[in-house]
């Protein structure tokens, strides 16, 4: 039997050291167990080592996770506070990580993620959504060997920024290309209460040494290529529209719009070329949304078109049509008049103004009928004149404009808290009032069915 190993200090009892991790360092397999009672009585005990198991143990010592020499290169004595023997600026009541934290920047405001720059980087900080490439070593307190290391694997980590643990994500967001920094991360920003056994205990604070190699650069298409793709999408949208597939057409237009709105321009010529294509796309999108009766989107893309060309007749015309559908007749007339000013002989604009006048006339007539019915008795006697009093209401032709205008005026009038609608409304009219009021953020009270009064209120 070999002579027992001499232990000069408690440090020698560590299961890890500069030779690497030694599994079962002080465990020897025996052929038979030892009777503890023999030892207590002082009679001694005979034992024999199991040579077969000893060979397996020796094989285990050789199968370390990391090579011992490589581990030695990555030892970090700050985790044990072995790096400073001068005794200066020391406080024996503090743990190594607590001493380390005193010279670090608090990134989260609650001490959850601390940072210290070891080597400055260059360029901008890592943007949201970026893919990053970096090396790192992770350490636990009181342990100078890394629990994980991309350097020992000789393979840098490549992840999208948001795929990292929260603490590392927050740290990487502050780094620049080539920067080297160390971070202290509390369990709340790291591996939480569960840890990541067997390497990371539960509720463990960890220290990471991180070197940002670079933000992975995506291959950027040239402006000419983007413009070509956008025009291709626009033409595909035109084909869908010709086949009366309006939803698919507008999808193509929006895809091209997003592509161009997010591209990076290098000069005024590129901006001019981009705006020429965007103007066509905005007008096409507004036209499609007008057919789909999505009024808000019509206004959005018509305004974008006017931002490029304030005198664009098509944009003014389509905005006027959308405003008319909303019951905003004065604003609609203003847009039609501006369009007519730039193109006096445009037949579509003349027809739109004629239709608007008819709508306004119809609106005034319907408005009178509505208010008359609001104050009319719920039940009327049968008679010859009943039909003349209760004129039929064509909801599609003009009733919507009347109701929208009444609800909008009520919403904008500060002094009025509630408005009542007559009991004589049809079921369809009542449903439309409820839907429109809810869209405007108003509250509707009233029981289902006809001959029930509707009360609309606002906060």
């Amino acid at each position: 039997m070999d002579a027992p190993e001499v232990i000069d200090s408690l440090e020698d009892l560590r299961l890890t050291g500069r030779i690497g991790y030694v599994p079962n360092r002080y465990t020897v397999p025996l052929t038979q167990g030892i009777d503890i009672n023999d030892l207590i009585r002082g009679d001694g005990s005979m034992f024999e080592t199991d040579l077969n198991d000893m060979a397996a143990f020796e094989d285990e010592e050789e199968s370390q996770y990391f090579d011992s020499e490589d581990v030695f290169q990555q030892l970090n004595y700050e985790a044990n506070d072995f790096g400073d023997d001068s005794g200066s600026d020391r406080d024996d009541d503090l743990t190594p990580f607590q001493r380390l934290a005193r010279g670090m920047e608090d990134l989260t405001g609650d001490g959850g993620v601390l940072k210290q720059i070891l080597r400055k980087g260059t360029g901008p900080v890592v943007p949201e959504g970026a893919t990053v490439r970096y090396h790192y070593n992770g350490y636990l307190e009181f342990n100078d060997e890394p629990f994980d290391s991309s350097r020992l694997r000789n393979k840098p980590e490549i992840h999208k920024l948001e795929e990292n643990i929260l603490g590392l994500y927050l740290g990487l967001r502050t780094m620049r290309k080539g920067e080297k920094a160390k971070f202290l991360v509390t369990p709340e920003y790291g591996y939480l209460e569960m840890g990541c056994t067997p390497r990371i205990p539960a509720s463990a604070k960890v220290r990471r040494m991180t070197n940002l190699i670079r933000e992975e650069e995506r291959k950027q298409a040239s402006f000419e290529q983007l413009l070509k793709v956008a025009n291709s999408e626009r033409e595909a949208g035109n084909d869908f529209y010709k086949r009366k597939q309006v939803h698919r057409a507008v999808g193509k237009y929006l895809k091209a719009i997003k592509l161009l709105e997010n591209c990076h321009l290098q000069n005024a010529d590129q901006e001019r070329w981009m705006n020429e294509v965007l103007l066509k796309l905005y007008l096409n999108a507004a036209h499609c949304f007008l057919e789909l009766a999505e009024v808000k989107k019509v206004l959005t893309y018509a305004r974008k078109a006017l931002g490029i060309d304030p005198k664009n007749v098509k944009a003014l015309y389509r905005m006027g049509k959308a405003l008319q559908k909303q019951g905003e007749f004065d604003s609609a007339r203003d847009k039609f008049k501006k369009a007519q000013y730039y193109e006096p002989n445009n037949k579509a604009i003349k027809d739109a103004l004629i239709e608007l006048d008819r709508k306004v006339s119809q609106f005034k007539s319907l408005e009178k009928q509505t208010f008359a019915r609001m104050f009319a008795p719920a039940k009327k006697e049968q008679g010859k004149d009943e039909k003349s009093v209760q004129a039929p209401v064509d909801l599609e032709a003009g009733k919507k404009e009347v109701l929208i205008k009444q609800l909008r005026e009520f919403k904008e009038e500060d002094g009025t808290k509630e408005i009542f609608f007559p009991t004589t409304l049809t079921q369809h009219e009542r449903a439309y009032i409820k839907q429109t009021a809810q869209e405007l953020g108003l509250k509707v009270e009233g029981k289902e069915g006809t001959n029930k009064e509707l009360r609309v209120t606002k906060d």
Side-chain angles (χ1 to χ4, degrees):
M1 178 178 175
D2 294 337
E5 182 179 359
V6 178
I7 304 299
D8 292 328
S9 66
L10 292 177
E11 177 63 23
D12 293 331
L13 290 174
R14 287 161 44 87
L15 297 184
T16 57
R18 296 193 176 187
I19 62 172
Y21 173 66
V22 183
N24 304 303
R25 182 175 182 179
Y26 299 103
T27 303
V28 178
L30 304 178
T31 55
Q32 291 183 350
I34 298 174
D35 190 340
I36 193 67
N37 292 319
D38 292 341
L39 297 178
I40 294 173
R41 289 193 301 268
D43 296 337
S45 179
M46 297 295 290
F47 61 86
E48 181 182 359
T49 59
D50 188 331
L51 297 180
N52 292 327
D53 282 354
M54 282 292 291
F57 269 62
E58 290 173 0
D59 292 340
E60 186 179 357
E61 289 191 20
E62 296 300 323
S63 61
Q64 300 176 32
Y65 186 79
F66 295 129
D67 182 81
S68 298
E69 186 62 30
D70 291 339
V71 171
F72 177 72
Q73 299 296 327
Q74 304 300 329
L75 292 180
N76 187 279
Y77 297 113
E78 283 183 313
N80 288 323
D81 202 32
F82 296 153
D84 182 7
D85 294 329
S86 64
S88 61
D89 194 28
R90 297 282 296 275
D91 188 338
D92 293 336
D93 294 333
L94 299 180
T95 66
F97 278 4
Q98 288 173 340
R99 278 191 284 272
L100 187 63
R102 291 186 298 186
M104 303 181 76
E105 177 189 0
D106 189 350
L107 298 183
T108 56
D110 60 359
V113 182
L114 304 179
K115 176 184 178 182
Q116 183 179 359
I117 296 177
L118 304 178
R119 183 180 65 220
K120 292 184 177 181
T122 58
V125 296
V126 177
E128 284 290 342
T131 299
V132 289
R133 179 186 179 95
Y134 60 92
H135 270 301
Y136 84 97
N137 289 336
Y139 301 91
L140 299 173
E141 197 165 24
F142 305 110
N143 197 334
D144 52 8
E145 292 179 15
F147 62 80
D148 193 21
S149 172
S150 63
R151 292 194 179 279
L152 290 176
R153 287 191 295 273
N154 198 29
K155 183 180 179 181
E157 299 289 322
I158 302 177
H159 296 292
K160 283 189 174 294
L161 188 60
E162 61 272 14
E163 292 175 351
N164 294 279
I165 63 168
L166 180 57
L168 188 55
Y169 159 76
L170 295 172
L172 285 169
R173 281 177 53 188
T174 68
M175 298 187 74
R176 304 173 190 274
K177 181 179 178 181
E179 179 180 324
K180 186 175 182 180
K182 56 187 175 185
F183 300 95
L184 277 180
V185 181
T186 61
E188 292 76 17
Y189 291 86
Y191 298 93
L192 306 175
E193 294 82 2
M194 297 294 293
C196 188
T197 56
R199 291 195 194 173
I200 305 171
S203 301
K205 180 182 284 189
V206 298
R207 177 187 179 281
R208 287 181 178 268
M209 187 84 73
T210 306
N211 179 21
L212 180 64
I213 301 174
R214 68 172 181 267
E215 174 193 348
E216 292 291 292
E217 297 180 359
R218 298 178 182 176
K219 187 176 180 181
Q220 297 289 339
S222 67
F223 174 77
E224 289 74 17
Q225 290 172 321
L226 292 176
L227 200 63
K228 184 177 180 180
V229 173
N231 271 315
S232 177
E233 294 291 339
R234 181 177 63 83
E235 291 170 2
N238 292 344
D239 289 338
F240 281 126
Y241 183 80
K242 290 175 182 177
R243 299 202 296 267
K244 301 187 183 303
Q245 299 179 24
V246 183
H247 280 100
R248 298 184 70 179
V250 78
K252 290 292 184 180
Y253 297 144
L254 296 181
K255 185 176 179 180
I257 287 170
K258 184 177 180 180
L259 189 67
L260 291 180
E261 286 184 338
N262 294 330
C263 75
H264 299 285
L265 304 175
Q266 296 180 345
N267 52 57
D269 287 337
Q270 289 185 355
E271 183 178 9
R272 177 169 52 81
W273 297 332
M274 180 191 73
N275 284 338
E276 287 178 0
V277 179
L278 274 178
L279 180 60
K280 296 176 182 177
L281 290 166
Y282 290 151
L283 292 172
N284 289 355
H287 182 72
C288 287
F289 283 126
L290 192 61
E291 290 196 9
L292 297 172
E294 297 189 42
V295 177
K296 291 182 179 179
K297 292 181 180 179
V298 177
L299 296 174
T300 295
Y301 289 100
R303 288 191 181 104
K304 287 188 175 187
L306 291 173
I308 296 174
D309 179 10
K311 299 180 181 179
N312 189 277
V313 172
K314 290 182 179 179
L316 290 167
Y317 173 80
R318 287 164 192 171
M319 183 174 283
K321 296 292 284 186
L323 291 168
Q324 178 178 313
K325 285 182 176 293
Q326 282 190 329
E328 299 180 24
F329 298 139
D330 292 338
S331 297
R333 184 182 299 279
D334 179 63
K335 300 303 177 186
F336 289 144
K337 286 292 186 181
K338 283 184 179 180
Q340 191 177 50
Y341 175 79
Y342 297 122
E343 290 188 12
N345 298 321
N346 189 305
K347 184 176 183 302
I349 299 172
K350 290 180 180 179
D351 292 342
L353 284 168
I354 293 171
E355 182 188 2
L356 179 63
D357 288 338
R358 182 176 62 82
K359 288 283 185 182
V360 171
S361 176
Q362 187 179 40
F363 166 78
K364 290 179 179 179
S365 175
L366 290 171
E367 190 174 38
K368 289 180 181 179
Q369 293 179 24
T370 301
F371 281 106
R373 293 169 66 186
M374 288 176 70
F375 296 102
K379 296 182 179 180
K380 296 182 179 293
E381 295 181 0
Q382 297 293 328
K384 296 181 180 180
D385 297 332
E386 183 175 359
K387 291 184 178 180
S388 62
V389 175
Q390 294 184 340
V393 177
D394 186 356
L395 189 61
E396 296 299 326
K399 186 65 175 180
K400 286 184 179 180
E401 286 84 352
V402 174
L403 296 175
I404 288 174
K405 183 170 175 41
Q406 287 180 341
L407 290 169
R408 284 184 177 277
E409 289 178 350
F410 165 65
K411 181 180 179 181
E412 295 171 1
E413 188 175 358
D414 295 333
T416 306
K417 297 297 182 183
E418 60 184 6
I419 183 175
F420 293 90
F421 285 86
T423 59
T424 52
L425 291 174
T426 66
Q427 187 73 13
H428 187 58
E429 292 166 352
R430 293 169 61 84
Y432 185 77
I433 290 173
K434 288 183 178 181
Q435 178 185 349
T436 307
Q438 289 171 357
E439 290 175 355
L440 293 172
L442 303 173
K443 297 180 180 179
V444 181
E445 298 177 5
K447 297 181 180 180
E448 295 298 327
T450 56
N451 296 326
K452 302 292 182 181
E453 187 176 66
L454 276 183
R455 176 173 174 261
V456 180
T457 62
K458 58 185 176 183
D459 295 330

